[in-house]
Amino acid sequence: MAELNQRYGGLPNPKEAQAIWDDIWHQEAHHSTALEGNTLVLREVEALLDSGRAVGAKSLREYNEVRGYADAAKWVYGQALEPAEWHDGRLLTIGEVRQVHHTAMTPVWDIAPHQDATGREGPGNFREHDIQPFSAGMKPPSWPLVAAQSQQWVDDVCVAGLRIHSGEDLGRPLVEELARLHNTFERIHPFIDGNGRAGRLILNLVLVRLGYPPVVIFKRQRDMYLTAMQRADAGDYGALGELIARAMYDNLNRFIVPNVAGPARLVPLAALVDEEFSLAALRQAAQRGRLDAVQGVDGVWRSSRKAVDAYRLNKHQRRRGRD
């Protein structure tokens, strides 16, 4: 397993950078389900995932959508960074594709199964229905072709992964190759429901195994994402590749920048967590104006080690003043 991690991994494992992984986990579970219409806000997602509390007055289905996605994302990160003994070293297997979908969709299915599904089309099982053409005209393959095309897609992913790892020319930029693979999965549409969520989870499984950070497509990018997917349906992977590249860059900074940034360099709060200050405590201090921090357009609060040290000093001085 160490050899597989060395081959595919380059990111710190969750034990080494737990706060950063947890922050990405919250963001991904929130935004990826929001792309599909889930209305939980980020603080409700955090309460659900961190303490199991259903804050707000949303439907059970929505809470279960987030919980299922979060469970699947945690499985993805675990398998990507520390594979189980049964893993055979391949970049992706068809069993993992089905497992991701099963984990993500089972909590929803338990309370609200798809109305058209047969008993053989539950979570993790390929569809046995044809899908109507999408609004832009793309039509997924007829259902008898799904199993074979899904396996062919997995083989394509593995070949692409080997070429990426070896530095071989892909014939297109790396991010456009990733966009092509992601789009191809969505065009196959192997499951009767949950293909968007499963596709983004599987993309992150592949990325992390290749040593890249997982991506989060923000809910505010929904129209841009759908338009980019439509362009990719026609063979133009540029816009989707750019979205993936920006998301990779943002999360790469969470892992890398804190280790090379000077004390005044702004980094996400998740990178500044220590034994004294949790992520929640830093965020609360930033929101109250006690910690010198800024909130970006992506909703992420950023500060610096210097600012946290100043906040720590002021907090200790106030505490001593009360004694």
Side-chain angles (χ1 to χ4, degrees), residues 130-160:
D130 284 346
I131 303 293
Q132 293 298 316
F134 297 156
S135 58
M138 194 281 292
K139 186 178 186 341
S142 180
W143 73 263
L145 304 176
V146 165
Q149 289 197 15
S150 297
Q151 182 61 61
Q152 184 179 4
W153 177 78
V154 167
D155 295 341
D156 187 19
V157 169
C158 291
V159 170

mmCIF file of all heavy atoms in Angstrom, residues 130-160:
data_model
loop_
_atom_site.group_PDB
_atom_site.id
_atom_site.type_symbol
_atom_site.label_atom_id
_atom_site.label_comp_id
_atom_site.label_asym_id
_atom_site.label_seq_id
_atom_site.Cartn_x
_atom_site.Cartn_y
_atom_site.Cartn_z
ATOM 1 N N ASP A 130 -34.049 3.747 -20.382
ATOM 2 C CA ASP A 130 -33.439 4.729 -21.269
ATOM 3 C C ASP A 130 -33.712 6.119 -20.718
ATOM 4 O O ASP A 130 -34.735 6.375 -20.084
ATOM 5 C CB ASP A 130 -33.983 4.607 -22.690
ATOM 6 C CG ASP A 130 -33.395 3.408 -23.428
ATOM 7 O OD1 ASP A 130 -32.382 2.850 -22.944
ATOM 8 O OD2 ASP A 130 -33.931 3.033 -24.479
ATOM 9 N N ILE A 131 -32.771 7.031 -20.951
ATOM 10 C CA ILE A 131 -32.862 8.401 -20.466
ATOM 11 C C ILE A 131 -33.274 9.306 -21.618
ATOM 12 O O ILE A 131 -32.740 9.204 -22.726
ATOM 13 C CB ILE A 131 -31.513 8.881 -19.891
ATOM 14 C CG1 ILE A 131 -31.043 7.938 -18.768
ATOM 15 C CG2 ILE A 131 -31.605 10.314 -19.392
ATOM 16 C CD1 ILE A 131 -31.897 7.954 -17.545
ATOM 17 N N GLN A 132 -34.225 10.186 -21.356
ATOM 18 C CA GLN A 132 -34.636 11.139 -22.385
ATOM 19 C C GLN A 132 -33.475 12.079 -22.715
ATOM 20 O O GLN A 132 -32.631 12.365 -21.870
ATOM 21 C CB GLN A 132 -35.832 11.963 -21.899
ATOM 22 C CG GLN A 132 -37.111 11.156 -21.730
ATOM 23 C CD GLN A 132 -37.583 10.565 -23.051
ATOM 24 O OE1 GLN A 132 -37.590 11.239 -24.080
ATOM 25 N NE2 GLN A 132 -37.968 9.288 -23.011
ATOM 26 N N PRO A 133 -33.395 12.575 -23.942
ATOM 27 C CA PRO A 133 -32.328 13.519 -24.298
ATOM 28 C C PRO A 133 -32.331 14.723 -23.372
ATOM 29 O O PRO A 133 -33.382 15.184 -22.924
ATOM 30 C CB PRO A 133 -32.684 13.920 -25.737
ATOM 31 C CG PRO A 133 -33.494 12.784 -26.266
ATOM 32 C CD PRO A 133 -34.274 12.267 -25.090
ATOM 33 N N PHE A 134 -31.129 15.223 -23.054
ATOM 34 C CA PHE A 134 -31.018 16.414 -22.226
ATOM 35 C C PHE A 134 -31.479 17.633 -23.000
ATOM 36 O O PHE A 134 -31.673 17.592 -24.213
ATOM 37 C CB PHE A 134 -29.580 16.597 -21.741
ATOM 38 C CG PHE A 134 -29.100 15.479 -20.848
ATOM 39 C CD1 PHE A 134 -27.749 15.204 -20.727
ATOM 40 C CD2 PHE A 134 -29.993 14.711 -20.130
ATOM 41 C CE1 PHE A 134 -27.292 14.184 -19.904
ATOM 42 C CE2 PHE A 134 -29.562 13.683 -19.299
ATOM 43 C CZ PHE A 134 -28.201 13.417 -19.190
ATOM 44 N N SER A 135 -31.642 18.740 -22.280
ATOM 45 C CA SER A 135 -32.202 19.946 -22.895
ATOM 46 C C SER A 135 -31.376 20.438 -24.080
ATOM 47 O O SER A 135 -31.917 20.999 -25.027
ATOM 48 C CB SER A 135 -32.315 21.067 -21.843
ATOM 49 O OG SER A 135 -31.048 21.346 -21.285
ATOM 50 N N ALA A 136 -30.051 20.203 -24.032
ATOM 51 C CA ALA A 136 -29.197 20.652 -25.132
ATOM 52 C C ALA A 136 -29.125 19.635 -26.263
ATOM 53 O O ALA A 136 -28.439 19.866 -27.261
ATOM 54 C CB ALA A 136 -27.788 20.947 -24.617
ATOM 55 N N GLY A 137 -29.821 18.482 -26.099
ATOM 56 C CA GLY A 137 -29.901 17.520 -27.184
ATOM 57 C C GLY A 137 -29.092 16.253 -27.008
ATOM 58 O O GLY A 137 -29.298 15.276 -27.728
ATOM 59 N N MET A 138 -28.141 16.221 -26.039
ATOM 60 C CA MET A 138 -27.335 15.029 -25.845
ATOM 61 C C MET A 138 -28.188 13.901 -25.282
ATOM 62 O O MET A 138 -28.946 14.077 -24.339
ATOM 63 C CB MET A 138 -26.168 15.350 -24.896
ATOM 64 C CG MET A 138 -25.077 14.274 -24.877
ATOM 65 S SD MET A 138 -25.482 12.823 -23.883
ATOM 66 C CE MET A 138 -25.464 13.517 -22.238
ATOM 67 N N LYS A 139 -28.056 12.696 -25.888
ATOM 68 C CA LYS A 139 -28.847 11.547 -25.439
ATOM 69 C C LYS A 139 -27.916 10.461 -24.906
ATOM 70 O O LYS A 139 -27.047 9.982 -25.637
ATOM 71 C CB LYS A 139 -29.694 10.989 -26.582
ATOM 72 C CG LYS A 139 -30.646 9.871 -26.136
ATOM 73 C CD LYS A 139 -31.496 9.369 -27.279
ATOM 74 C CE LYS A 139 -32.556 8.356 -26.887
ATOM 75 N NZ LYS A 139 -32.402 7.668 -25.627
ATOM 76 N N PRO A 140 -28.059 10.072 -23.627
ATOM 77 C CA PRO A 140 -27.252 8.974 -23.091
ATOM 78 C C PRO A 140 -27.525 7.681 -23.851
ATOM 79 O O PRO A 140 -28.581 7.514 -24.476
ATOM 80 C CB PRO A 140 -27.723 8.873 -21.641
ATOM 81 C CG PRO A 140 -28.285 10.222 -21.328
ATOM 82 C CD PRO A 140 -28.921 10.684 -22.612
ATOM 83 N N PRO A 141 -26.599 6.725 -23.814
ATOM 84 C CA PRO A 141 -26.778 5.472 -24.551
ATOM 85 C C PRO A 141 -27.950 4.662 -24.020
ATOM 86 O O PRO A 141 -28.359 4.800 -22.862
ATOM 87 C CB PRO A 141 -25.452 4.747 -24.327
ATOM 88 C CG PRO A 141 -24.915 5.319 -23.055
ATOM 89 C CD PRO A 141 -25.330 6.753 -23.072
ATOM 90 N N SER A 142 -28.467 3.800 -24.874
ATOM 91 C CA SER A 142 -29.543 2.905 -24.472
ATOM 92 C C SER A 142 -29.057 2.022 -23.330
ATOM 93 O O SER A 142 -27.882 1.625 -23.278
ATOM 94 C CB SER A 142 -29.963 2.051 -25.671
ATOM 95 O OG SER A 142 -31.003 1.178 -25.317
ATOM 96 N N TRP A 143 -29.946 1.670 -22.403
ATOM 97 C CA TRP A 143 -29.527 1.020 -21.170
ATOM 98 C C TRP A 143 -28.794 -0.312 -21.367
ATOM 99 O O TRP A 143 -27.891 -0.626 -20.564
ATOM 100 C CB TRP A 143 -30.689 0.869 -20.193
ATOM 101 C CG TRP A 143 -31.718 -0.180 -20.525
ATOM 102 C CD1 TRP A 143 -32.904 0.004 -21.154
ATOM 103 C CD2 TRP A 143 -31.648 -1.570 -20.200
ATOM 104 N NE1 TRP A 143 -33.588 -1.180 -21.260
ATOM 105 C CE2 TRP A 143 -32.825 -2.169 -20.680
ATOM 106 C CE3 TRP A 143 -30.713 -2.385 -19.568
ATOM 107 C CZ2 TRP A 143 -33.090 -3.530 -20.551
ATOM 108 C CZ3 TRP A 143 -30.963 -3.746 -19.429
ATOM 109 C CH2 TRP A 143 -32.145 -4.296 -19.919
ATOM 110 N N PRO A 144 -29.089 -1.143 -22.370
ATOM 111 C CA PRO A 144 -28.313 -2.382 -22.500
ATOM 112 C C PRO A 144 -26.820 -2.152 -22.762
ATOM 113 O O PRO A 144 -26.006 -3.062 -22.588
ATOM 114 C CB PRO A 144 -28.976 -3.080 -23.689
ATOM 115 C CG PRO A 144 -30.363 -2.530 -23.733
ATOM 116 C CD PRO A 144 -30.201 -1.103 -23.346
ATOM 117 N N LEU A 145 -26.451 -0.936 -23.174
ATOM 118 C CA LEU A 145 -25.049 -0.620 -23.470
ATOM 119 C C LEU A 145 -24.303 -0.058 -22.262
ATOM 120 O O LEU A 145 -23.081 0.107 -22.322
ATOM 121 C CB LEU A 145 -24.985 0.399 -24.617
ATOM 122 C CG LEU A 145 -25.682 0.018 -25.923
ATOM 123 C CD1 LEU A 145 -25.617 1.182 -26.915
ATOM 124 C CD2 LEU A 145 -25.060 -1.235 -26.518
ATOM 125 N N VAL A 146 -25.029 0.225 -21.201
ATOM 126 C CA VAL A 146 -24.434 0.974 -20.082
ATOM 127 C C VAL A 146 -23.296 0.217 -19.414
ATOM 128 O O VAL A 146 -22.222 0.774 -19.149
ATOM 129 C CB VAL A 146 -25.521 1.336 -19.049
ATOM 130 C CG1 VAL A 146 -24.887 1.766 -17.729
ATOM 131 C CG2 VAL A 146 -26.406 2.449 -19.593
ATOM 132 N N ALA A 147 -23.489 -1.060 -19.097
ATOM 133 C CA ALA A 147 -22.452 -1.814 -18.380
ATOM 134 C C ALA A 147 -21.150 -1.853 -19.164
ATOM 135 O O ALA A 147 -20.067 -1.603 -18.615
ATOM 136 C CB ALA A 147 -22.948 -3.230 -18.079
ATOM 137 N N ALA A 148 -21.254 -2.163 -20.462
ATOM 138 C CA ALA A 148 -20.046 -2.251 -21.284
ATOM 139 C C ALA A 148 -19.375 -0.893 -21.436
ATOM 140 O O ALA A 148 -18.141 -0.780 -21.346
ATOM 141 C CB ALA A 148 -20.389 -2.824 -22.652
ATOM 142 N N GLN A 149 -20.163 0.163 -21.647
ATOM 143 C CA GLN A 149 -19.570 1.489 -21.818
ATOM 144 C C GLN A 149 -18.974 2.001 -20.512
ATOM 145 O O GLN A 149 -17.950 2.706 -20.526
ATOM 146 C CB GLN A 149 -20.613 2.474 -22.356
ATOM 147 C CG GLN A 149 -20.998 2.207 -23.803
ATOM 148 C CD GLN A 149 -21.704 3.382 -24.460
ATOM 149 O OE1 GLN A 149 -21.694 4.505 -23.957
ATOM 150 N NE2 GLN A 149 -22.337 3.124 -25.595
ATOM 151 N N SER A 150 -19.568 1.642 -19.386
ATOM 152 C CA SER A 150 -19.016 2.046 -18.094
ATOM 153 C C SER A 150 -17.661 1.372 -17.856
ATOM 154 O O SER A 150 -16.710 2.010 -17.384
ATOM 155 C CB SER A 150 -19.981 1.698 -16.960
ATOM 156 O OG SER A 150 -21.197 2.419 -17.092
ATOM 157 N N GLN A 151 -17.562 0.087 -18.175
ATOM 158 C CA GLN A 151 -16.285 -0.606 -18.034
ATOM 159 C C GLN A 151 -15.248 -0.035 -18.984
ATOM 160 O O GLN A 151 -14.077 0.142 -18.610
ATOM 161 C CB GLN A 151 -16.455 -2.097 -18.285
ATOM 162 C CG GLN A 151 -15.176 -2.897 -18.110
ATOM 163 C CD GLN A 151 -14.618 -2.801 -16.712
ATOM 164 O OE1 GLN A 151 -15.281 -3.194 -15.735
ATOM 165 N NE2 GLN A 151 -13.398 -2.261 -16.564
ATOM 166 N N GLN A 152 -15.663 0.283 -20.205
ATOM 167 C CA GLN A 152 -14.747 0.904 -21.162
ATOM 168 C C GLN A 152 -14.258 2.254 -20.643
ATOM 169 O O GLN A 152 -13.087 2.609 -20.801
ATOM 170 C CB GLN A 152 -15.444 1.068 -22.512
ATOM 171 C CG GLN A 152 -14.549 1.619 -23.609
ATOM 172 C CD GLN A 152 -15.283 1.738 -24.949
ATOM 173 O OE1 GLN A 152 -16.479 1.469 -25.034
ATOM 174 N NE2 GLN A 152 -14.557 2.151 -25.965
ATOM 175 N N TRP A 153 -15.151 2.996 -20.008
ATOM 176 C CA TRP A 153 -14.763 4.293 -19.446
ATOM 177 C C TRP A 153 -13.748 4.115 -18.326
ATOM 178 O O TRP A 153 -12.756 4.848 -18.256
ATOM 179 C CB TRP A 153 -16.007 5.024 -18.925
ATOM 180 C CG TRP A 153 -15.676 6.329 -18.275
ATOM 181 C CD1 TRP A 153 -15.379 7.516 -18.892
ATOM 182 C CD2 TRP A 153 -15.577 6.591 -16.866
ATOM 183 N NE1 TRP A 153 -15.109 8.496 -17.955
ATOM 184 C CE2 TRP A 153 -15.217 7.955 -16.712
ATOM 185 C CE3 TRP A 153 -15.761 5.800 -15.728
ATOM 186 C CZ2 TRP A 153 -15.040 8.539 -15.463
ATOM 187 C CZ3 TRP A 153 -15.574 6.382 -14.474
ATOM 188 C CH2 TRP A 153 -15.227 7.735 -14.353
ATOM 189 N N VAL A 154 -13.955 3.150 -17.445
ATOM 190 C CA VAL A 154 -13.004 2.880 -16.367
ATOM 191 C C VAL A 154 -11.634 2.526 -16.948
ATOM 192 O O VAL A 154 -10.593 3.010 -16.467
ATOM 193 C CB VAL A 154 -13.522 1.750 -15.452
ATOM 194 C CG1 VAL A 154 -12.417 1.238 -14.533
ATOM 195 C CG2 VAL A 154 -14.706 2.238 -14.618
ATOM 196 N N ASP A 155 -11.621 1.689 -17.990
ATOM 197 C CA ASP A 155 -10.352 1.339 -18.631
ATOM 198 C C ASP A 155 -9.685 2.575 -19.216
ATOM 199 O O ASP A 155 -8.449 2.721 -19.140
ATOM 200 C CB ASP A 155 -10.595 0.301 -19.731
ATOM 201 C CG ASP A 155 -11.096 -1.040 -19.196
ATOM 202 O OD1 ASP A 155 -10.922 -1.283 -17.982
ATOM 203 O OD2 ASP A 155 -11.676 -1.813 -19.983
ATOM 204 N N ASP A 156 -10.469 3.454 -19.796
ATOM 205 C CA ASP A 156 -9.954 4.710 -20.359
ATOM 206 C C ASP A 156 -9.324 5.570 -19.267
ATOM 207 O O ASP A 156 -8.247 6.165 -19.449
ATOM 208 C CB ASP A 156 -11.098 5.455 -21.048
ATOM 209 C CG ASP A 156 -10.638 6.693 -21.812
ATOM 210 O OD1 ASP A 156 -9.437 6.804 -22.114
ATOM 211 O OD2 ASP A 156 -11.494 7.546 -22.123
ATOM 212 N N VAL A 157 -9.985 5.646 -18.120
ATOM 213 C CA VAL A 157 -9.451 6.407 -16.990
ATOM 214 C C VAL A 157 -8.102 5.841 -16.557
ATOM 215 O O VAL A 157 -7.141 6.592 -16.309
ATOM 216 C CB VAL A 157 -10.442 6.397 -15.807
ATOM 217 C CG1 VAL A 157 -9.787 6.962 -14.540
ATOM 218 C CG2 VAL A 157 -11.694 7.197 -16.144
ATOM 219 N N CYS A 158 -8.009 4.524 -16.459
ATOM 220 C CA CYS A 158 -6.765 3.899 -16.014
ATOM 221 C C CYS A 158 -5.626 4.153 -17.000
ATOM 222 O O CYS A 158 -4.489 4.435 -16.597
ATOM 223 C CB CYS A 158 -6.974 2.398 -15.823
ATOM 224 S SG CYS A 158 -8.050 1.974 -14.428
ATOM 225 N N VAL A 159 -5.914 4.069 -18.290
ATOM 226 C CA VAL A 159 -4.897 4.347 -19.307
ATOM 227 C C VAL A 159 -4.450 5.799 -19.230
ATOM 228 O O VAL A 159 -3.253 6.108 -19.260
ATOM 229 C CB VAL A 159 -5.426 4.007 -20.713
ATOM 230 C CG1 VAL A 159 -4.469 4.524 -21.796
ATOM 231 C CG2 VAL A 159 -5.622 2.503 -20.860
ATOM 232 N N ALA A 160 -5.424 6.705 -19.103
ATOM 233 C CA ALA A 160 -5.091 8.125 -18.985
ATOM 234 C C ALA A 160 -4.245 8.381 -17.742
ATOM 235 O O ALA A 160 -3.288 9.170 -17.776
ATOM 236 C CB ALA A 160 -6.363 8.966 -18.936
#
